[in-house]
Amino acid sequence: MRLQPSFDERLLRESVARLAGEFGAEYFMEKTRAREPVTELWKKLGDNGYLGAFLPTEYGGGGQGIWSLAIVSEELAAAGCPMFPLIYSAAIVSNVLARHGSQEQKDTWLPKLAAGEAKIAFAITEPDAGSNSHNLSTVARRTGDKYVINGRKTFISGVDSADAILVVARTGTDEKTGKGLLSLFLVDPDAPGLEHTYVPTAVNAPEGQWMLFFDGVEVDADQLIGTQDKGLRIVFEGLNPERILGATLSTGLARYALNKAVSYVKDRQVWGVPIATHQAVAHPLAKAKIELDLAGLMMRKAAALYDAGSPEAGEAANMAKYAAGEAGIHCVDAAIQVHGGNGVALEYGLTDVWWLARFTKIGPVSAEMVLNYVSEHTLGLPKSY
C-alpha cells in the first residue's frame, strides 16, 4: 500500500477537482432543489473516462482498481458534488455486470456505463428487510422463458433517471435453513406492472429515494444475472466496493466542510483578532482533521486489499465506512459550530450537506451493522443476530 500518492493519482485528483470546480456546489444544489439529475456533470465525467475507471479496458474502461473510482468520488464530494450514482451504478452494478453478466449483457451495458450514457439503479432494500437480505419478500417466479416479479422495495436511489434497475428477488427457499435463495435481474424502469413513488427525505441530493411496487412484472430469462438462486454471493461481492465508495462520500463532504470552516475562522475577527487564534475554535477543527486523515488511511488500506483480492478486504472496507462516517459528521458539525449563527445560514452551504453527512452513518450500511461485523469476524465474538 502506497502512502505517498503516485504521479498518476495526483494527476487524477487534480483533474477531477478541476472538472468538479467547473460546476460546484451551487450548480449541484440548483439541480437538487429542482429534483433534476446532474446530467451535464455526469456526461462530462463519462467523456473524460472517470466513470469507467473501475471497468475492463475492452468495454471502454480504464482497467484500474477501486481506488481510482474512490478518488473520483471523493474529489467530487469535496467540491460540493457528492454523487450517489458512483456507489450504486459505477461501483455495485458495473462490478456485478463485469464479473457475472453474460457476454450480451456486458456488451450492451458496460460501454454505456463507462461513457456516462447510462445509469443502473440497485434495488435490494425492502420495508421489512433492510440488512437482512435472506428475508427478502420480493419474489421472482419462472414461467416459461420469463420471470414474473411481485413485491416491493424502498429507499431505492435514482430510479427516475435510471435506464435499468438491478433487482434482487427471492427465487426459492433453502430447505435446510429456511433462508431465501436470491437472484438478480435487470428490469426496465418502465415495465408494465412496475410503479414507483417518491419518498421525501431531508437528504439533499439530485437522486431522490423511491418506493418500488412490482405487480406481475415480466422479465425475460436472459435478463437474469449469473445463476438462479446464487445471487446472494454476487451481492456480497458488491458490498466491499459499496462500503469504500460510501466512505468517500463522507470524507469528501468532510473536506468540503472543513475547508469552508478554515477559511471562515481565518477571516472572521472578534475583539480585533481572527477567531482561529482561539483554541476553543481551533481545537475542534484540528480534532476533526485528525479523524478525517485516519479515515482516509483506512479507506486506502481497504481499496488496496480489495484490489489485491485479499480476504481481509471486507474487514477493512467496513472499518473504513465506519471511520469515514464518524469523521464526516464531526467535520461538518465542527464547521457549523465555528460559523456560529452563520452555520445555519443557507448562503454558507453547510446545512446543504449536514443531512447527507448524517445519512452516511445509516446507509448504505449502518454503523451498528459494521460493529456487528467487526465483533463477529474480527474479535471472534458470538453472532448477535
Side-chain angles (χ1 to χ4, degrees):
M1 186 179 83
R2 295 177 59 98
L3 293 181
Q4 285 287 348
S6 66
F7 172 81
D8 288 342
E9 179 181 331
R10 289 196 300 269
L11 182 62
L12 178 59
R13 284 194 182 277
E14 292 168 2
S15 300
V16 176
R18 186 164 52 249
L19 186 154
E22 296 174 11
F23 293 87
E26 185 175 345
Y27 159 85
F28 194 81
M29 286 308 302
E30 285 179 358
K31 290 293 186 179
T32 295
R33 294 185 182 105
R35 284 178 50 190
E36 297 176 356
V38 287
T39 304
E40 302 89 350
L41 174 55
W42 189 259
K43 182 65 168 61
K44 201 157 187 178
L45 290 168
D47 290 343
N48 284 274
Y50 299 136
L51 299 178
F54 187 39
L55 289 174
T57 55
E58 57 265 36
Y59 300 105
Q64 303 297 310
I66 188 65
W67 186 239
S68 60
L69 189 62
I71 289 173
V72 173
S73 178
E74 185 180 66
E75 291 304 319
L76 285 164
C81 302
M83 304 283 280
F84 274 138
L86 286 171
I87 300 177
Y88 61 77
S89 187
I92 300 176
V93 177
S94 293
N95 185 47
V96 165
L97 286 173
R99 294 188 177 208
H100 300 283
S102 66
Q103 193 59 54
E104 181 180 357
Q105 290 165 348
K106 293 177 183 178
D107 291 340
T108 298
W109 288 107
L110 292 184
K112 294 179 182 178
L113 290 168
E117 297 172 356
K119 295 178 193 170
I120 301 180
F122 180 61
I124 184 170
T125 304
E126 297 182 1
D128 298 318
S131 299
N132 185 8
S133 301
H134 292 287
N135 199 39
L136 294 182
S137 60
T138 297
V139 175
R141 302 192 186 282
R142 182 74 182 255
T143 57
D145 60 351
K146 295 182 181 296
Y147 286 87
V148 180
I149 303 177
N150 288 282
R152 57 180 179 159
K153 301 288 185 180
T154 190
F155 289 113
I156 309 304
S157 300
V159 171
D160 53 332
S161 61
D163 299 279
I165 306 172
L166 183 60
V167 177
V168 185
R170 179 192 290 256
T171 46
T173 302
D174 188 308
E175 294 181 358
K176 294 181 179 180
T177 65
K179 295 179 178 179
L181 299 173
L182 309 181
S183 301
L184 284 74
F185 303 90
L186 282 172
V187 179
D188 185 340
D190 298 319
L194 174 57
E195 296 183 0
H196 54 274
T197 302
Y198 180 70
V199 180
T201 72
V203 175
N204 284 321
E207 296 75 29
Q209 301 299 308
W210 300 84
M211 282 277 293
L212 303 182
F213 301 90
F214 299 85
D215 184 10
V217 176
E218 294 188 350
V219 180
D220 291 338
D222 61 7
Q223 296 307 299
L224 172 71
I225 306 295
T227 305
Q228 180 177 316
D229 298 339
K230 304 297 183 181
L232 186 62
R233 180 177 64 84
I234 299 175
V235 169
F236 280 168
E237 286 185 14
L239 293 184
N240 290 336
E242 176 195 54
R243 307 285 194 259
I244 295 168
L245 265 291
T248 66
L249 282 187
S250 296
T251 57
L253 291 171
R255 286 173 50 196
Y256 171 82
L258 204 55
N259 287 341
K260 281 182 169 290
V262 169
S263 177
Y264 183 82
V265 299
K266 286 180 179 179
D267 293 338
R268 171 75 166 148
Q269 292 202 7
V270 177
W271 296 300
V273 295
I275 62 174
T277 60
H278 303 299
Q279 292 178 349
V281 172
H283 284 186
L285 298 181
K287 181 180 178 181
K289 171 61 175 173
I290 292 171
E291 292 185 29
L292 173 58
D293 281 6
L294 289 172
L297 282 173
M298 185 53 74
M299 275 170 41
R300 182 181 282 273
K301 178 181 178 179
L305 290 172
Y306 178 82
D307 288 338
S310 171
E312 297 176 4
E315 176 186 85
N318 275 282
M319 289 183 174
K321 173 64 174 58
Y322 182 91
E326 294 291 319
I329 291 171
H330 293 164
C331 284
V332 175
D333 186 63
I336 290 174
Q337 188 68 24
V338 299
H339 276 74
N342 287 331
V344 296
L346 296 181
E347 66 176 291
Y348 287 85
L350 292 170
T351 56
D352 293 338
V353 300
W354 164 251
W355 277 109
L356 181 52
R358 183 62 183 81
F359 176 76
T360 59
K361 193 173 177 178
I362 301 171
V365 61
S366 70
E368 289 75 18
M369 287 305 296
V370 171
L371 294 176
N372 283 337
Y373 182 96
V374 173
S375 298
E376 178 185 353
H377 296 281
T378 304
L379 300 178
L381 301 179
K383 190 172 183 177
S384 61
Y385 61 95

